[in-house]
Amino acid sequence: MAPASTAWDLAVVGAGPAGAATALGALHADPGLRVALLDRADFPRDKACGDGVAPHVLDLLADVGVTGLVDDRIPVDRLRLGRGGLVAERRTARPAWVVPRRILDARLADAAVAAGARLLRHRVRDLRQHPGAVVLDGELSAAVVVGADGAHSVVRRALGRPRGPVALALRGYAPVAPGRRGAQVIEFGTWHQPSYAWSFDCGDGLANVGYGELLHGDRPAPTRAHLLERLEGLLPGATEGGRHWAGHHLPLSTARWRPPSGRVLLAGDAACLVNPLTGEGIHYAVATGIAAGRAAAAALRDGRPERAGERYARATRRILLPHLRHTALAARLARSTCVLEAALRASAADQRVFDDFVELGLAWGRFTPAIALGLGRAFITPGRPTGRSQEPA
Ligand SMILES: Cc1cc2nc3c(=O)[nH]c(=O)nc-3n(C[C@H](O)[C@H](O)[C@H](O)COP(=O)(O)OP(=O)(O)OC[C@H]3O[C@@H](n4cnc5c(N)ncnc54)[C@H](O)[C@@H]3O)c2cc1C
């Protein structure tokens, strides 16, 4: 039986970037809403991640009144992409940030609380939908629920939604190698595709270093030792002095994204939104979180909480679907060594191509004419096996 009264207007399961953004989106639209932000962990808490934060994330947060989040951090505006001696290194159109998730997520959760959310320590295990409300663990009820509970989402499972392709990645913190200072360095794998190792300078003498690859059903998942070995193989010296190693799954997006309708919404990793080219997920988490929060607020304002999912789908599909189709295509093409190397040569040769690839990998970018032209040129121009290196412009 559904409980007689609804305790919360909106309950958000998970207080990572997607969950905090959901609360912020809802409360920015209607500061009077009763919003519960539930997380199984106390904050600050760690989350295995490369810690790379695209500038677009800050734009989205500014729209819901959150500014100054990274004012004490050092921006990184150099990006080096490489594979087996082929390098494209350039300044990015806008700097990115490398912010340990222990810091970033606590700041986001604080911002949500400052906006009026109640942060509650609670591990959600069960979700039941009743005609007038959604009940969590038989004790918390809400008119709308947003599942922002990450890669292994309980809410997604309760909705009976399958997960698509998954990658596995391991990260640690190690003294930044001299040749990798002030940069985000990505070295694509030469064995399993897609795969890459990274070193992202945190600006405090340490780099976030890691390695990840797509999991295939027909071969065993790599062990921690394999992941460390592959990281060291691609970026020699990266693991030296490394600490705080932690691994996690990345639920990759596909071209067939279908948000659920009704009172229960999904955002971020729970909605399987990690870029299949780059492993970027914070931008999607914040973007879909804010959209879910706004959709919930609008549906509640109309007295139709059961329409929240429909509103969310309308708001997200237009921008998200074309982008997801393009990234799915790009990720498929990038499995071919020839295409990957052509993309690196094209990025080394042309700033526009480089910038468009960065947009495709970090935000809402698409497969642009500049990318197609650049790839075409790279294919017809005979490439040297140890292609050109481009110093920052
Ligand atoms: C190794 C690695 C490197 C990555 N590097 C980058 C990068 O550099 N840049 C980037 O943008 N993305 C990166 N990603 C992806 C990024 O980490 C995720 O996309 C992002 O964390 C998604 O945010 P989220 O809020 O959806 O989920 P999460 O950050 O996973 O947050 C989910 C929250 O839900 C809580 N929770 C889970 N289950 C429950 C439950 N049952 N009840 C209550 N609470 C629950 C958890 O405690 C957690 O706080 C990386 C991922 C990995 C694994």
Side-chain angles (χ1 to χ4, degrees):
M1 276 257 306
S5 69
T6 294
W8 301 97
D9 296 314
L10 169 64
V12 186
V13 185
T22 302
L24 286 163
L27 289 160
H28 192 254
D30 181 353
L33 287 178
R34 293 164 299 163
V35 178
L37 189 52
L38 312 169
D39 205 289
R40 64 184 177 194
D42 272 332
F43 285 74
R45 60 103 183 88
D46 188 22
K47 154 78 176 77
C49 187
D51 301 336
V53 180
H56 314 73
V57 172
L58 305 180
D59 300 342
L60 292 167
L61 290 167
D63 279 352
V64 289
V66 180
T67 54
L69 208 64
V70 295
D71 283 358
D72 58 346
R73 309 291 308 176
I74 296 171
V76 185
D77 67 355
R78 270 175 59 217
L79 175 63
R80 185 189 310 160
L81 303 170
R83 185 183 184 278
L86 198 63
V87 176
E89 177 167 355
R90 288 185 170 276
R91 274 191 213 291
T92 48
R94 297 169 69 197
W97 307 83
V98 184
V99 190
R101 294 288 299 275
R102 200 178 160 74
I103 297 173
L104 180 76
D105 291 18
R107 288 181 182 176
L108 284 172
D110 283 351
V113 169
R118 280 279 302 281
L119 180 60
L120 302 171
R121 174 102 185 256
H122 182 106
R123 176 192 284 264
V124 172
R125 292 190 163 85
D126 179 64
L127 178 150
R128 303 273 161 103
Q129 297 201 51
H130 299 283
V134 185
V135 179
L136 301 172
D137 298 327
E139 54 180 286
L140 284 157
S141 79
V144 179
V145 165
V146 176
D149 48 342
H152 302 285
S153 171
V154 167
V155 177
R156 182 179 65 232
R157 268 184 277 142
L159 291 176
R161 301 202 137 224
R163 196 168 64 171
V166 175
L168 177 65
L170 179 79
R171 77 93 234 261
Y173 293 96
V176 59
R180 299 176 193 136
R181 286 210 182 107
Q184 289 193 297
V185 177
I186 289 178
E187 181 70 21
F188 292 98
T190 47
W191 185 27
H192 291 149
Q193 292 303 349
S195 63
Y196 75 78
W198 71 85
S199 167
F200 294 169
D201 188 351
C202 299
D204 57 2
L206 293 176
N208 179 315
V209 292
Y211 169 85
E213 66 180 44
L214 180 70
L215 296 181
H216 292 267
D218 56 357
R219 63 172 188 242
T223 62
R224 178 191 164 105
H226 289 139
L227 296 171
L228 281 169
E229 194 182 299
R230 287 167 199 171
L231 166 57
E232 188 59 33
L234 291 171
L235 289 178
T239 61
E240 269 166 39
R243 298 175 59 199
H244 305 299
W245 297 104
H248 205 68
H249 289 108
L250 297 92
L252 305 180
S253 69
T254 67
R256 296 180 302 280
W257 193 63
R258 298 278 176 279
S261 56
R263 294 169 181 268
V264 183
L265 284 56
L266 296 170
D269 278 17
C272 300
L273 287 173
V274 173
N275 191 305
L277 269 182
T278 57
E280 197 283 343
I282 298 173
H283 175 255
Y284 292 146
V286 170
T288 53
I290 291 173
R294 284 180 174 149
L300 286 160
R301 185 195 56 222
D302 292 351
R304 304 291 302 272
E306 72 282 3
R307 302 293 275 278
E310 216 176 293
R311 281 183 171 274
Y312 176 55
R314 269 209 306 275
T316 48
R317 266 196 197 128
R318 195 177 47 85
I319 183 150
L320 199 51
L321 271 185
H323 164 76
L324 293 180
R325 283 191 201 111
H326 287 227
T327 46
L329 171 68
R332 232 184 1 260
L333 292 174
R335 289 184 192 190
S336 145
T337 303
C338 297
V339 177
L340 187 57
E341 293 194 344
L344 288 176
R345 284 202 302 277
S347 300
D350 186 338
Q351 180 75 40
R352 179 76 193 272
V353 175
F354 179 87
D355 289 343
D356 287 0
F357 270 125
V358 170
E359 283 297 302
L360 192 63
L362 296 188
W364 297 135
R366 299 194 188 181
F367 214 91
T368 60
I371 290 180
L373 213 65
L375 282 178
R377 277 203 205 105
F379 272 120
I380 52 176
T381 314
R384 291 179 298 145
T386 53
R388 58 191 289 183
S389 168
Q390 179 83 37
E391 280 311 304

